[in-house]
Amino acid sequence: MNNRKVMFLGPWQVETVEEKFSPQIGDQEVLVRKLYTLISPGTELAMLSGNEAWFPMPGIPGYAAVSEIVEVGEGVTEFNSGDIVFHYGNHTKYEVVSIRGTFLKVPENLDLKWVPFTRMATVATTAIRVSNIELGDYVSVTGLGLIGNMAAQLAHLQGATVIGIDLSEERLRIAEQCGVIHAISGGKGSVNEQIADITRGKGVSTHIEATGVPQVAVQSLEWIAKLGEIIFLGSPRGEYNADVTEILNYCHLYGRGCITFKGAHEWRFPTEPNEFVKHSLVRNSSIVFELMKQKRLQVEPLISHVLKPEEAKKAYEGLRLLKDKYNGVLFDWSET
């Protein structure tokens, strides 16, 4: 059979290629045909820049897919040909994948274009899992891309009053459409003063940093309440020079807030359910399915483009250079 792939050939070089594919299906593996895959803008643009040593080029990006099972390997009993599944799949039409880990049947009557967003939502869920967010708290989120938006929505579902902050007016509009009560432009006026006004001078008890920009994280320390917390959801990238002692004193000194610093990398939890750990990526994914079905987690406003794989170059250029217009970009792998 022929297989189509989106490939990163070198820094900022994107091509869609077609090649012969002879799948070898192992004992606990299945062959799937992709229906939709979702671009993760932050991670994949970092990969495309050539600055991520863990991603060798040429290589195939992508890690969020909804697919149809074409063929199952020996020993696979819980899945059948024709099943629609969510899994961590790359940007190819066909792929042989393991049924171990995050590999779940998609509930009936769930919009298939929403399904790949489950990966973004479970990444965002990590910030909620490690936080102390309770009913009535004020929570701020910097960066309202896919993951930041979903973190804001999940914090709202946790019972918090959420303040979303971004430079993009379009992302602020989408955040409000998704239920974020306070949407603040980071480029207009003092964010610190606006948050002080909203929180009656107390500041937020939890801040979720989703941009991955170190300077933004440091600036946000000013509006976090005493004994509050900052959660690093976006992976910090890029060099930033600052007085480390000044930053550490926000954590150490009570007069500076005694703020707790927390990491929210998704892999801090096990992939599959474990009797000794409450949370897992599989459990989080199942919960996200339910939130989508109940329309308590909004996905449709996040979809900006549904493109064919042959338009991959356009997709990544848009995500890189036209951030107000490109946000949630899906590849549609159907033939027609």
Side-chain angles (χ1 to χ4, degrees):
M1 64 174 65
N2 289 330
N3 198 9
R4 282 181 292 162
K5 302 179 177 181
V6 174
M7 296 195 69
F8 293 170
L9 303 181
W12 310 120
Q13 297 179 42
V14 183
E15 295 290 343
T16 305
V17 301
E18 185 167 317
E19 63 183 21
K20 293 291 184 180
F21 181 50
S22 300
Q24 303 296 316
I25 307 171
D27 182 58
Q28 293 293 305
E29 295 179 333
V30 297
L31 172 66
V32 298
R33 177 177 61 84
K34 306 294 172 52
L35 302 175
Y36 296 100
T37 58
L38 173 67
I39 296 177
S40 174
T43 300
E44 293 187 40
L45 288 177
M47 293 157 60
L48 185 55
S49 73
N51 293 326
E52 296 294 314
W54 56 268
F55 181 78
M57 294 190 185
I60 305 170
Y63 57 57
V66 58
S67 304
E68 179 182 359
I69 295 178
V70 177
E71 185 178 347
V72 302
E74 292 186 14
V76 176
T77 58
E78 57 266 57
F79 297 97
N80 297 291
S81 299
D83 286 347
I84 306 300
V85 293
F86 162 70
H87 62 104
Y88 291 2
N90 59 24
H91 298 311
T92 60
K93 182 175 181 181
Y94 293 101
E95 186 180 4
V96 175
V97 295
S98 171
I99 63 169
R100 301 275 70 88
T102 308
F103 191 88
L104 304 170
K105 289 182 183 179
V106 174
E108 292 184 6
N109 303 318
L110 188 61
D111 191 324
L112 296 185
K113 292 191 297 296
W114 295 2
V115 175
F117 285 84
T118 302
R119 180 72 191 275
M120 304 298 104
T122 56
V123 171
T125 300
T126 313
I128 309 304
R129 297 296 193 211
V130 303
S131 77
N132 293 322
I133 298 172
E134 295 179 336
L135 180 66
D137 286 350
Y138 284 98
V139 172
S140 57
V141 180
T142 43
L144 296 173
L146 299 184
I147 291 175
N149 179 296
M150 288 188 162
Q153 290 193 58
L154 293 167
H156 175 72
L157 291 174
Q158 193 84 346
T161 297
V162 180
I163 305 166
I165 305 148
D166 203 290
L167 294 173
S168 166
E169 293 296 332
E170 178 64 11
R171 290 187 179 186
L172 293 171
R173 183 193 67 78
I174 293 172
E176 289 180 326
Q177 189 177 351
C178 292
V180 175
I181 296 174
H182 301 282
I184 295 177
S185 173
K188 294 182 180 178
S190 168
V191 173
N192 194 14
E193 290 178 4
Q194 293 179 76
I195 290 178
D197 183 58
I198 294 169
T199 62
R200 301 178 182 85
K202 295 180 180 180
V204 301
S205 57
T206 299
H207 174 62
I208 300 173
E209 207 303 291
T211 69
V213 179
Q215 183 178 1
V216 174
V218 173
Q219 292 171 344
S220 69
L221 296 171
E222 297 181 0
W223 67 71
I224 301 175
K226 276 188 170 60
L227 303 179
E229 59 186 358
I230 179 171
I231 298 173
F232 295 92
L233 177 58
S235 296
R237 293 187 174 96
E239 183 176 315
Y240 176 64
N241 296 314
D243 183 345
V244 176
T245 302
E246 180 75 6
I247 295 170
L248 294 178
N249 277 333
Y250 274 99
C251 177
H252 175 65
L253 298 177
Y254 181 73
R256 300 300 296 277
C258 227
I259 296 167
T260 300
F261 287 45
K262 295 180 177 179
H265 194 230
E266 64 174 321
W267 299 108
R268 68 179 295 143
F269 295 118
T271 304
E272 299 188 42
N274 182 312
E275 63 179 315
F276 301 106
V277 182
K278 180 178 182 180
H279 304 303
S280 68
L281 299 184
V282 167
R283 179 173 186 263
N284 287 343
S285 299
S286 297
I287 291 171
V288 167
F289 283 164
E290 288 303 311
L291 293 175
M292 288 180 178
K293 284 174 60 179
Q294 298 163 12
K295 294 185 171 57
R296 296 170 66 197
L297 184 67
Q298 301 299 312
V299 177
E300 194 65 32
L302 299 175
I303 301 175
S304 64
H305 295 78
V306 181
L307 302 176
K308 289 296 185 180
E310 289 73 22
E311 300 175 281
K313 187 176 296 185
K314 171 185 175 181
Y316 288 101
E317 286 180 355
L319 288 166
R320 180 188 178 194
L321 303 173
L322 301 170
K323 295 180 184 294
D324 277 352
K325 295 182 179 179
Y326 286 73
N327 191 28
V329 180
L330 291 158
F331 287 129
D332 176 358
W333 293 88
S334 64
E335 294 292 345
T336 57

